[in-house]
Every structure is written in structure tokens, then in C-alpha cells.
Amino acid sequence: AQKITQTQPGMFVQEKEAVTLDCTYDTSDQSYGLFWYKQPSSGEMIFLIYQGSYDEQNATEGRYSLNFQKARKSANLVISASQLGDSAMYFCAMRETRAGGTSYGKLTFGQGTILTVHP
Amino acid sequence: DGGITQSPKYLFRKEGQNVTLSCEQNLNHDAMYWYRQDPGQGLRLIYYSQIVNDFQKGDIAEGYSVSREKKESFPLTVTSAQKNPTAFYLCASSLRGTSYEQYFGPGTRLTVT
């Protein structure tokens, strides 16, 4: 069974500094996808970044980058140059990629990390 | 604008009543999902559908039912059998494929008293 672990319930960062949000995962699949979502206080889920298990390069999207260490089963999110608008809950999620079966395509989420950016 | 709509934003019901949450998407996505989120927690999958007229139970399907008669619509019914229905419910959709992200609706906050 899949499992996603986010060990940091809350993180604080100063505006304009970088912050790393931790995520470790457990799966027996060889092929899988890792996602990070942001959830502001409004409740909507905003997709940030994706990393495929076979991708050799770490994913980057603007100020977001994913530090993917496959052997350690970690997929940490790095936010550079933090902004006040980055204050939100952040979720790491994993998607099974086995073809067929009832679990195809489902996302498993971690418990989330609340990020607070101080001015 | 393409996207996912969920209505209403807030919903109040008395215990023992069934309630149906709507989810509509105009993204032409085949797959749709329903998640439940409790305060301070992550999302848990209730039901999902990869194609019209087919759906599968997720991790916490007991007390819920769904239908998928149209590609655009995936309503969720919270039945009176659901023991603790008060929660935030999020609907999502995606293209079929392992690398595609799920797009989420704005959510419905259900309170049952």
C-alpha cells in the first residue's frame, strides 16, 4: 500500500528566503508520480509541480523545485524567494501508475504542512 | 473559462437526511474524483470514475454513493448511513494518464447537525 509522510506540521520562513518542505513516500511500484499541491485558506487545491519516478532531472516550475531522491524515497518541495502569498497548507501526493486494477490513477495525500511566511 | 464547479459552497443539513453535492467540469476530462478533508488533515479518496457509467470505491466509500451518467458530471450523495458527514468535500478531474495532475473544484463545506 502507498503511504505519504509529511513530518513537518508547521514551518515558518522569512519573506524572500527559501524553504524546504519534506515529503517521504513508500510504494512497491516501480512507476509512480509525485505531486505537490497548495491549499490556501479558501480551501481550493492548486497544483504546483509534478515529478515522475523515471524522470532523471528534478522538476522545476518557477519558484518551485522538487528535490527528488529516489533511493531515499523523498520528494521535498523547495520554494525559493518566499512571498507572503505562499502562506498556505502544502500537500505532497503520490499517484499509482499500474495499468488496470481498481486503484489506477488515484492520488494518496500526506497530512500536509502549514507554511507561514513572515514579513 | 474551463474549470470545475461545485455547488453550493456551504451546505447545512439535519442528521438523517441524504444530501447530494454537485460537481461539474467542462475540461473534457474522462476521470473524476471525490475527496473528503477533515480539519487539519489531508484528503481521503471517497469514489472515483475513469469513464462514464463506471466508478470505483476509494478508501472511505461507506455511507456515500455516486453516479456518472455524463462525462461532465459526477454527483456525490452523502447518505444517512455516513456516521460523521460534516467535512469539506472536494471534487477533482483529470485526463486519463499517470502524469496528469488533478484539477480541483472550490469545494463544498457540509455541516450536519
Side-chain angles (χ1 to χ4, degrees):
Chain A
Q2 290 187 326
K3 185 176 178 182
I4 298 284
T5 303
Q6 294 180 255
T7 57
Q8 306 155 315
M11 287 286 285
F12 296 88
V13 66
Q14 208 68 28
E15 196 178 5
K16 298 179 187 174
E17 307 237 320
V19 63
T20 297
L21 306 183
D22 294 342
C23 173
T24 58
Y25 59 92
D26 185 25
T27 181
S28 55
D29 291 343
Q30 294 301 307
S31 178
Y32 49 88
L34 295 156
F35 300 79
W36 276 92
Y37 283 85
K38 172 184 177 180
Q39 186 178 41
S41 56
S42 59
E44 62 187 307
M45 295 285 284
I46 302 167
F47 165 72
L48 296 177
I49 197 166
Y50 164 80
Q51 179 85 41
S53 59
Y54 291 120
D55 294 342
E56 293 186 355
Q57 305 269 3
N58 284 345
T60 60
E61 288 286 349
R63 293 186 301 109
Y64 303 108
S65 61
L66 202 152
N67 184 1
F68 181 48
Q69 298 187 41
K70 194 170 182 177
R72 300 176 68 174
K73 293 190 175 178
S74 76
N76 298 340
L77 176 71
V78 180
I79 305 174
S80 62
S82 297
Q83 302 172 355
L84 295 178
D86 293 336
S87 293
M89 177 81 96
Y90 288 81
F91 289 100
C92 179
M94 180 164 60
R95 187 171 198 172
E96 292 184 84
T97 58
R98 274 180 282 132
T102 58
S103 61
Y104 181 79
K106 61 180 277 190
L107 278 177
T108 300
F109 285 83
Q111 295 290 84
T113 296
I114 300 175
L115 176 66
T116 303
V117 181
H118 289 304
Chain B
D1 270 19
I4 301 177
T5 56
Q6 291 184 246
S7 60
K9 179 78 173 172
Y10 298 94
L11 192 53
F12 299 88
R13 281 292 183 270
K14 294 287 188 188
E15 197 174 317
Q17 293 179 334
N18 290 357
V19 59
T20 297
L21 312 184
S22 77
C23 177
E24 304 277 333
Q25 55 98 0
N26 60 4
L27 300 167
N28 201 32
H29 287 168
D30 283 307
M32 296 187 74
Y33 310 81
W34 272 106
Y35 294 90
R36 169 185 171 132
Q37 186 179 29
D38 293 288
Q41 302 293 314
L43 281 66
R44 292 183 291 168
L45 183 66
I46 304 172
Y47 267 98
Y48 65 106
S49 168
Q50 296 287 319
I51 198 167
V52 174
N53 291 324
D54 183 60
F55 48 82
Q56 307 291 336
K57 290 182 179 180
D59 300 317
I60 54 165
E62 186 175 346
Y64 299 98
S65 66
V66 292
S67 62
R68 187 82 187 279
E69 296 175 3
K70 298 188 299 182
K71 188 176 184 178
E72 303 79 18
S73 178
F74 191 40
L76 173 75
T77 296
V78 185
T79 75
S80 55
Q82 168 49 233
K83 294 191 185 339
N84 187 15
T86 295
F88 186 51
Y89 291 87
L90 285 154
C91 178
S93 72
S94 73
L95 293 169
R96 293 189 71 189
T98 59
S99 64
Y100 295 112
E101 68 270 26
Q102 293 182 10
Y103 291 82
F104 284 80
T108 292
R109 200 167 295 279
L110 173 66
T111 303
V112 176
T113 57

